[in-house]
Structures are given as C-alpha cells and as structure tokens.
Amino acid sequence: MRLNFDPDGSTQSVLGTTLLIGLSGIAIGWLASEGEPIYLAALVVAIPALVIAAKPVWLLWIAVIGGLVFSGLFKLYLPQLQAFRWILAPVSVLLVLHSVVALQTAPFQAARRADVPTIIWWALAFLLYSVLIAIIQPFLADRLFIGFKGYFQVWGLLFALALFPWPVNVLDRLPKVLVAVGLLQLPVVLHQLIFLVPKRVALAQPGVVPIDVVAGTFGATVETGGANAALNAFLVIILAGLVAARDLGVISWARLCIFSLVLLIPILSNMAKVSVLYMIAAFLVLYGRDLIQRPLRFLAASLAATVLVVLLVAAYAMNSAGESSGKSLQEWIMFSYQYAVEDDVVSGTGYLSRGGVLRFWAERHGLGNLKETLFGHGMGFTRVADNADPFRETVRFANQGVVSDINIAMGIGGTAAAALLWELGVIGLLLAVGLLASTYFVAGRLERDFEGMPERIAALRASRAGMAIIFITLWHKHSFVFDIHYQTMLMLLLGYVAYWERRALISHRGNAVPRGNATHPAPSG
C-alpha cells in the first residue's frame, strides 16, 4: 500500500488513509474492551502521528515552525516539554525517506536524472568526512553519538528540501512564513524584556547578564540566558530580504518601514553586539556591487546603513550591562573588543574567550602534530554531555588515550570555528566554509534564472546575506555544532537555494521540468 507518490497523488492516498483509520478503530475498540489504558493512549497518539508521517508537506511545516518557534518557547516557558525538540530529528529523517521514495517513482524519474546540486555535494562531503574522522581517530562511542547528534540533528531538512519534488508554491511560501516568524518575535521579546529580565536582575548571580534572556523563540532559560545572537542573525536576514524586496518593487516603502521597525526592536533590545557586524555584512551583500556600477545608489544606501549602525552602537553602549557602565562610547568599544578578542580568558569564569579559543588551538597544533591539525580529534570532543561534569570528562579522555590538551572544562569549543578545528581540523573547517560559500555563489547565479520573478530574487539575496552572517557566527558562537534553532534556520537557507539550484539543473538539461513557474507534480498532503 502506498500513501503517496501516485501519478495523480490522490486515489491510493485516500484508500490507504481510510484503511488505516478502519484498522485503527478496530484496534482501539479491542484495547478499550481489554482495559489497557496505557496501550490505548499510545495508539490514540500513534494514529495521527502515522497520518502526519505520510504527509511530506505537513512534516515540512512541523520542522519549520517546530524548530524556529515551539522548541524555543517550550524551553523557556514550558521546560517540562522541552524534549519536544527531539521530535525534529525523526521528522527530518522522515522527510529524507519521502525524498528517496519519490525519486524512485516513475513521474519523477526525469528529475532523478538531473545533477545533484552543488550544495548537496558539499553537505555530503562534510557529513561523510565528519563520520570518517570520528571512526579513525581515538574512538569513543559516546563522543560520536554526542557529536553526530549535535552537528546533524536536522540536516535531513536540507536533503529533503533539495531532493523532494515539492510543488513550487510550497517553496515560494517558505520566505513568507519566515517573515511571519520574524514578526512574531516582537511580542515574545517584549514579554521577556518586561517580565523575565527583572527576574534575572533579582538573581544577582556573578556573570549573569540579565538581558541575555531576550532571545525570542530561539531558546533561553531564566537561569542561564539564551540564543539572542542567533535570534538577531535570523532577524537581520529577514530584514535583508525585505530591503531586497523593496529594491525590486515587491513591497512598498510604508510596509518596509513598518516591518523594519518590528524587526529592529528585538535587535535593539537584547544587546547582542555582534548584530552590528551582521548589519554591515548584509549591507555589503546587498549593495557592494553598486559601489562600481551605481555609486550614487551605493552612497544613499551607505548613509541609511550608517545611521542604523550608529543607532545600534549607541543603543548598546547606553544600555550595556554593569561591566561597561560609566564608560564613554570609545571606551565601551575598546572594552568590547578586548573582552572578545584580546583577552585569553573571560574574567571570573575560567573559560577561554572568543579570541582565546583560537589562540589556544593554534598553540597546540602545527607541523609537530600535522594529523590532528588537518583532521582534528573527532566529533564531540569539545562538548559536554547533558548533566556531565566537564572536569571528570577531561580526566576520562586522558585515561583513554585522548590528547591531554582536550580540556573541555576550559570551553575550548566556545565558538563553532574553534570546535570545528579541534574536532575536524583545518579540513573540516574549510568544508564548512565551502558549504556556505557554494550556497552564496549559487544563489547569486540563480538570480539570472528568475528574471521577472522579483519575490524569488529577493529571497535569494536574503539567502546570500544569510551565508555572510552565518560565516560571522562561526567565530562568535558554537551554534553551528550544537543549537537546533540555529541549525533549523541554516538548513532552511541552504535547502531553499539547493531546491532552486536543482530545478535550474533540470531545466538547463532540457528535462521534463521547464524554467519559470512550472511545477513538479504535487504529492498528496
């Protein structure tokens, strides 16, 4: 019985669902008569889950909304339900399985013959390389599990977006959904700012920055703060897409101003200073080529961007936490630079700073241990398992033959770049950067394929800005190898570009799917 992928996508799906409901009704009646409430409850939950599992489009939106909205809200407001985020991994796997089945079905055989997108080759290279290094380097099964879970928990979303024959209207709807998620951040951020920040102030714990809890739906806890930098990265990418849409005549100036205000309030509220770099990167992506081609346009955009960056810097300087109170703007900038780049250890914590983690790695690698320098030590060796003692883990590594410099108690994987260098070496870092760079250039090339479709061009420009911003985050946070909300955002950006790249490859080879607005045969669901 097939629930999907029929030539017309309807008859067998209806018959299969009807049969499933009929059999389930018989099973529920029997269990109820036998007085087995636990099994009955499990079956009642399993029925809608099975129906949803047969619907690729439903699974996609569950992954999008679950990863960007619900998992973060549950973590902060309903921590007893934060295990919900682990649903996203099997959902992404189910999407991959749907893709595999679809590519073996007659209506899509023409699409199957198309070249695999460049982005997918880079992603596969990174994935296979990561697993290989974990096996050939000092092997610890728990490290492989922790590392793989951290790196690839939602990577199935990328492969499914690129390889499943989605109806075009589904992918055209994705940027609009992401804009809606961006606008949703304002009420959540205002609640966190008004009600949760005072609670963190009342905690008065050393090293606690109260404003860090303002992370929207990207995950936080009252005690430890949250992913405010990831939230701002997402919002700046959305803002870049809206600016591109205005340049292309898709939206009006009034709508751009209203949406920008809604997006900027959270960015200004949570004090993630790296947002200044995000803004600069997005501006250079959108307007960099105008410096030569249209200098007056570049000048006008530069003035607007400068005003915005100055506003950000001034707001952060005036409202920064206690460690910079009483400092002038120049002193605050120098303090922030020293704190993030020059200092080896973050004062009062014992953890390496963002600059310190790279210097610490460089001091312990080079020609003397070329193997570890190039290939790293294996996935998961900079991560601490949930509820594990980092000092005890470090001692265990040493006792099992792992190099003693892997001291996770010092936070050697404090940024994604440092974690990649320790775990996968220079080659692993280059593969990750290559994945971002290939997506950036592919998105630029695809703009030529969508002349007359300004909404898609705007989304592709936002994706290019996203790749530049994601590159910056590699050196700022370790979200690339750990955070499910950030990774959902990244996989959506990569998968969106990969989908259109694959369609372009099919079109250019003269296969069944033409350019423009033609659609793949739509699957049921």
Side-chain angles (χ1 to χ4, degrees):
M1 178 184 68
R2 287 189 303 201
L3 299 181
N4 282 292
F5 316 122
D6 316 324
D8 60 8
S10 59
T11 304
Q12 291 190 16
S13 180
V14 172
L15 291 174
T17 303
T18 302
L19 180 59
L20 176 63
I21 293 173
L23 293 174
S24 300
I26 295 172
I28 288 174
W30 178 74
L31 287 174
S33 66
E34 294 294 318
E36 297 288 349
I38 296 178
Y39 297 132
L40 177 61
L43 182 58
V44 169
V45 172
I47 293 169
L50 287 172
V51 173
I52 292 171
K55 306 288 186 180
V57 175
W58 293 12
L59 290 172
L60 174 63
W61 296 125
I62 288 172
V64 173
I65 304 303
L68 296 179
V69 179
F70 287 112
S71 59
L73 291 178
F74 287 166
K75 182 177 180 180
L76 179 59
Y77 295 106
L78 295 169
Q80 64 272 24
L81 297 179
Q82 64 178 311
F84 167 85
R85 68 186 188 275
W86 301 124
I87 294 176
L88 301 177
V91 165
S92 67
V93 171
L94 280 171
L95 285 169
V96 172
L97 293 176
H98 277 294
S99 302
V100 171
V101 173
L103 292 175
Q104 305 302 318
T105 308
F108 307 127
Q109 285 178 354
R112 185 179 59 181
R113 291 195 297 269
D115 291 343
V116 174
T118 308
I119 297 166
I120 294 300
W121 285 123
W122 278 98
L124 282 172
F126 180 82
L127 190 156
L128 296 175
Y129 171 83
S130 302
V131 174
L132 179 63
I133 295 303
I135 293 173
I136 65 176
Q137 290 293 64
F139 179 77
L140 294 179
D142 68 318
R143 293 295 106 189
L144 174 59
F145 174 76
I146 290 171
F148 192 89
K149 182 182 70 171
Y151 279 73
F152 303 114
Q153 50 196 328
V154 290
W155 273 53
L157 188 57
L158 163 60
F159 296 109
L161 280 170
L163 301 177
F164 187 78
W166 303 101
V168 167
N169 65 329
V170 172
L171 268 291
D172 280 337
R173 195 177 299 131
L174 179 59
K176 299 174 183 177
V177 171
L178 297 185
V179 171
V181 172
L183 298 176
L184 173 66
Q185 302 306 311
L186 179 59
V188 181
V189 161
L190 290 178
H191 178 271
Q192 293 164 351
L193 193 63
I194 295 170
F195 295 101
L196 300 186
V197 169
K199 287 185 179 181
R200 282 171 61 81
V201 172
L203 291 176
Q205 294 179 355
V208 170
V209 180
I211 204 70
D212 282 354
V213 77
V214 182
T217 66
F218 273 64
T221 66
V222 175
E223 294 76 18
T224 61
N228 53 351
L231 167 65
N232 285 11
F234 176 74
L235 294 177
V236 174
I237 293 168
I238 299 301
L239 186 59
L242 292 172
V243 171
R246 168 70 288 248
D247 288 342
L248 295 164
V250 175
I251 62 174
S252 65
W253 278 107
R255 184 169 294 184
L256 174 62
C257 291
I258 294 171
F259 284 0
S260 297
L261 180 62
V262 174
L263 296 172
L264 284 171
I265 290 174
I267 295 173
L268 288 166
S269 299
N270 66 25
M271 310 297 175
K273 296 183 283 292
V274 71
S275 304
V276 175
L277 298 181
Y278 297 161
M279 289 286 187
I280 295 172
F283 166 77
L284 292 176
V285 170
L286 293 177
Y287 297 104
R289 57 188 170 187
D290 289 337
L291 177 61
I292 304 299
Q293 299 174 355
R294 291 182 288 182
L296 290 179
R297 184 171 184 267
F298 179 82
L299 179 61
S302 297
L303 291 174
T306 300
V307 170
L308 185 55
V309 168
V310 170
L311 176 65
L312 280 172
V313 172
Y316 292 165
M318 288 188 297
N319 298 294
S320 188
E323 75 271 8
S324 61
S325 59
K327 292 181 171 64
S328 67
L329 178 60
Q330 182 178 0
E331 290 172 334
W332 175 81
I333 292 173
M334 292 305 299
F335 168 82
S336 300
Y337 172 80
Q338 183 178 5
Y339 175 85
V341 179
E342 289 191 349
D343 290 344
D344 282 332
V345 178
V346 178
S347 177
T349 67
Y351 286 95
L352 293 166
S353 67
R354 294 186 183 97
V357 290
L358 295 175
R359 286 188 290 271
F360 186 80
W361 178 87
E363 290 168 359
R364 286 152 178 79
H365 293 82
L367 296 177
N369 54 346
L370 193 59
K371 178 184 174 184
E372 286 75 19
T373 301
L374 291 177
F375 304 112
H377 302 270
M379 285 191 298
F381 277 102
T382 65
R383 287 278 315 282
V384 182
D386 295 340
N387 302 318
D389 182 344
F391 296 96
R392 184 174 297 174
E393 289 291 282
T394 300
V395 172
R396 183 171 72 89
F397 292 167
N399 292 338
Q400 295 184 319
V402 179
V403 61
S404 60
D405 286 330
I406 296 183
N407 185 350
I408 55 178
M410 297 177 63
I412 60 174
T415 67
L420 288 167
L421 286 170
W422 276 101
E423 298 184 3
L424 303 178
V426 173
I427 293 177
L429 178 59
L430 291 177
L431 285 173
V433 172
L435 175 61
L436 303 180
S438 68
T439 306
Y440 179 91
F441 290 114
V442 166
R445 291 197 304 270
L446 287 174
E447 288 189 25
R448 295 190 293 270
D449 283 6
F450 296 124
E451 294 179 10
M453 301 177 204
E455 290 188 1
R456 290 184 193 168
I457 294 175
L460 289 169
R461 290 182 183 175
S463 299
R464 296 180 75 211
M467 293 305 102
I469 290 169
I470 296 296
F471 177 77
I472 294 172
T473 67
L474 294 181
W475 313 89
H476 180 253
K477 294 287 186 180
H478 71 327
S479 304
F480 183 91
V481 299
F482 173 66
D483 185 74
I484 196 167
H485 318 92
Y486 172 99
Q487 289 173 351
T488 300
M489 171 184 71
L490 174 59
M491 292 305 111
L492 290 174
L493 292 173
L494 298 175
Y496 180 83
V497 178
Y499 172 85
W500 294 117
E501 181 190 10
R502 188 162 186 272
R503 286 183 59 85
L505 289 169
I506 296 169
S507 173
H508 294 164
R509 283 183 172 274
N511 284 328
V513 182
R515 293 176 63 184
N517 284 313
T519 63
H520 289 294
S524 63

